[in-house]
């Protein structure tokens, strides 16, 4: 079935005519593709070139809706669960971290965070639903990619912007922002300077001060600061060892 369904859906999503009808068809096709879950193996030759073309074309022309673009990424990143050879395409060729960082920055600006009516507060907007889908992908991405790369700082920066925009307006999204920040600190080669520059440390501190804070999110906040503290201790130790090495070298030369 996959050998028939996947190429047909990709063919619909590849259409580049600028019309609402074509855009809607592409969105529905990509949404259907994103429902093919991570435990479902699909042969690379059925999808890889086409999904890369779809994502790259959108990066240049911005032709997809926010939901369609997220769905394209979700289909691709879900394949990574059963085929880790996709790391190069996801990280280096298509720049997942950079792109999602940009998407989050846009969401921080476009979501109607300050809902005035009670019925509005209880109803999720389409933007909020897509944003929550992005957070699922960020969760998977950070867990599956062991090495910290320079572009990841942009992803963290996007999470920070959403965290600040959602503060006091959307508790669920505020809580979801904390885990990827905690996860980032657990990368062995993360730089504390990147966390400071992106505002992650301030964002988590602000998150801890929210009146409605569940136990799980509080644990993530505490774990974040515990890991940052450990990283600072490691940096101090490395600097001390480097100074000792240089001092020993000077003694030998003299």
């Amino acid at each position: 079935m996959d050998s028939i369904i996947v190429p047909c859906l990709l063919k619909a999503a590849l259409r580049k005519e600028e019309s609402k009808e074509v855009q809607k068809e592409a969105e529905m096709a990509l949404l259907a593709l994103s429902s093919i879950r991570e435990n479902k193996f699909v042969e690379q030759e059925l999808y890889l070139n086409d999904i890369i073309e779809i994502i790259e074309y959108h990066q240049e022309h911005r032709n997809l809706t926010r939901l369609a673009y997220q769905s394209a990424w979700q289909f691709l990143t879900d394949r990574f669960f059963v085929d880790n050879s996709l790391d190069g395409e996801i990280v280096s060729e298509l720049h997942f971290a950079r792109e999602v960082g940009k998407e989050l920055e846009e969401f921080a600006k476009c979501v109607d965070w300050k809902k005035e009516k009670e019925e509005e507060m209880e109803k999720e907007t389409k933007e909020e639903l897509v944003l929550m889908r992005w957070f699922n992908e960020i969760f998977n991405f950070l867990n599956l990619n062991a090495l910290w790369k320079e572009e990841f700082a942009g992803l963290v920066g996007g999470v920070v912007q959403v965290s600040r925009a959602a503060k006091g307006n959307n508790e669920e999204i505020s809580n979801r922002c904390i885990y990827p920040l905690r996860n980032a600190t657990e990368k062995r080669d993360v730089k504390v300077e990147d966390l400071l520059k992106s505002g992650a440390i301030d964002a988590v501190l602000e998150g801890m001060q929210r009146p409605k804070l569940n136990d799980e999110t509080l644990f993530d906040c505490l774990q974040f600061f515990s890991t940052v503290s450990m990283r600072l201790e490691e940096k101090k130790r490395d600097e001390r060892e480097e100074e000792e090495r240089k001092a020993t070298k000077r003694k030998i030369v003299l």
Side-chain angles (χ1 to χ4, degrees):
M1 290 293 290
D2 290 334
S3 63
I4 299 172
I5 294 172
V6 170
C8 287
L9 292 172
L10 287 168
K11 183 178 179 181
L14 276 165
R15 294 177 62 192
K16 298 180 176 66
E17 297 94 320
E18 294 183 5
S19 71
K20 289 185 178 180
E21 181 181 350
V22 170
Q23 189 180 57
K24 188 65 177 179
E25 288 180 3
E27 182 178 276
M28 294 302 294
L30 290 168
L31 188 59
L33 281 169
S34 71
S35 68
I36 302 176
R37 302 311 302 161
E38 63 272 7
N39 61 351
K40 186 71 172 176
F41 181 77
V42 182
E43 295 287 346
Q44 276 196 18
E45 55 265 27
L46 293 177
Y47 70 87
L48 188 56
N49 290 337
D50 286 344
I51 200 69
I52 287 176
E53 181 180 346
I54 288 168
I55 292 173
E56 287 184 331
Y57 188 84
H58 175 76
Q59 289 174 352
E60 184 176 354
H61 301 280
R62 317 307 291 182
N63 65 307
L64 298 174
T65 63
R66 295 186 189 280
L67 176 59
Y69 188 49
Q70 189 282 326
S71 297
W73 269 113
Q74 183 170 319
F75 172 76
L76 180 57
T77 55
D78 279 354
R79 308 283 70 76
F80 189 67
F81 275 94
V82 290
D83 186 359
N84 57 18
S85 68
L86 294 171
D87 182 74
E89 285 81 4
I90 293 173
V91 177
S92 303
E93 184 175 348
L94 298 174
H95 305 283
F96 177 89
R98 183 191 68 194
E99 286 298 306
V100 179
K102 290 180 180 178
E103 287 293 303
L104 295 183
E105 289 176 6
E106 289 299 316
F107 274 109
K109 298 173 185 175
C110 76
V111 172
D112 181 16
W113 297 107
K114 297 186 181 298
K115 301 174 185 176
E116 297 180 359
K117 298 179 181 179
E118 186 174 348
E119 57 268 25
E120 291 178 343
M121 296 179 67
E122 293 177 353
K123 183 179 178 181
E124 282 188 306
T125 65
K126 184 176 181 179
E127 288 80 9
E128 288 171 323
L129 289 170
V130 178
L131 185 55
M132 293 300 285
R133 284 166 63 96
W134 272 124
F135 273 107
N136 289 334
E137 295 309 300
I138 294 168
F139 173 86
N140 295 333
F141 176 77
L142 290 176
N143 278 304
L144 290 171
N145 287 269
L147 296 178
W148 179 266
K149 295 178 175 59
E150 186 176 350
E151 285 186 1
F152 288 20
L155 174 58
V156 171
V159 173
V160 168
Q161 289 196 38
V162 171
S163 176
R164 287 174 173 165
K167 181 184 176 183
N169 300 307
N170 189 310
E171 286 298 316
E172 185 178 6
I173 291 178
S174 292
N175 290 336
R176 291 295 294 273
C177 288
I178 300 299
Y179 184 80
L181 300 180
R182 168 202 162 180
N183 194 297
T185 66
E186 295 171 348
K187 300 296 180 183
R188 291 300 306 170
D189 50 352
V190 69
K191 296 179 180 178
V192 176
E193 290 85 352
D194 286 339
L195 298 174
L196 285 167
K197 190 184 301 183
S198 67
I201 293 176
D202 290 337
V204 176
L205 186 59
E206 291 169 4
M208 291 184 69
Q209 297 170 347
R210 286 187 285 119
K212 297 179 181 179
L213 189 65
N214 60 44
D215 292 342
E216 183 179 357
T217 305
L218 177 59
F219 174 80
D220 287 337
C221 291
L222 295 173
Q223 191 66 32
F224 173 92
F225 284 111
S226 175
T227 308
V228 168
S229 177
M230 182 180 68
R231 289 281 182 267
L232 289 172
E233 287 297 323
E234 289 176 351
K235 183 180 179 182
K236 188 186 298 184
R237 183 179 64 248
D238 291 343
E239 290 174 348
R240 184 169 59 249
E241 289 176 353
E242 178 65 16
E243 285 301 318
E244 291 174 353
R245 186 190 66 81
K246 289 180 179 179
T248 302
K249 185 177 180 180
R250 285 193 294 269
K251 289 179 181 178
I252 294 173
V253 172
L254 294 174

